[in-house]
Amino acid sequence: QRLISTSAVRCVGNTLILQGQVYSPPYKVTAVGDRGRLRAALAASPAIRNYRSYVDAYGLGWKVDQHDTVTLPGYSGTVDLHQAQPIE
C-alpha cells in the first residue's frame, strides 16, 4: 500500500487501517529518503524506543535493512485536499 503525506493511518489493536484496507502483522515498511535522516528519526522517536523495549522483553520482530534501490508501486489514490468550511 503506497502512502503519501496526507494518507490516513489508523491503529485498531494490533491491526492497521490504511486508506480503508485492514492489515495484520507482521508489517514491512519501506521508506524512501535520506538514509541518515530516516535512521535518526527512528532513533529519536519515543514511540519506536517504546516498541523496541517490547521487542527486547517479548521477542517481537524488528529489523532495519538498507537497500541501494527499491521498486515501489505508484500512488493511485486522490491527492485532492479537502478542508472543513465554517457554517455561516
Side-chain angles (χ1 to χ4, degrees):
Q1 177 74 258
R2 179 75 179 252
L3 303 178
I4 61 172
S5 62
T6 57
S7 297
V9 178
R10 294 181 179 86
C11 295
V12 179
N14 70 339
T15 62
L16 289 177
I17 301 174
L18 306 173
Q19 300 169 167
Q21 296 245 179
V22 178
Y23 296 90
S24 298
Y27 307 109
K28 179 179 178 182
V29 176
T30 302
V32 177
D34 180 278
R35 293 175 181 171
R37 291 181 69 183
L38 290 169
R39 285 188 179 272
L42 283 175
S45 169
I48 295 296
R49 281 196 302 270
N50 185 46
Y51 178 76
R52 294 293 304 268
S53 70
Y54 284 96
V55 167
D56 295 338
Y58 300 105
L60 301 177
W62 174 262
K63 182 170 108 173
V64 176
D65 292 327
Q66 184 171 298
H67 302 281
D68 291 329
T69 61
V70 295
T71 300
L72 302 170
Y75 181 71
S76 60
T78 180
V79 293
D80 295 338
L81 297 177
H82 303 280
Q83 61 187 27
Q85 298 292 326
I87 296 176
E88 304 209 13

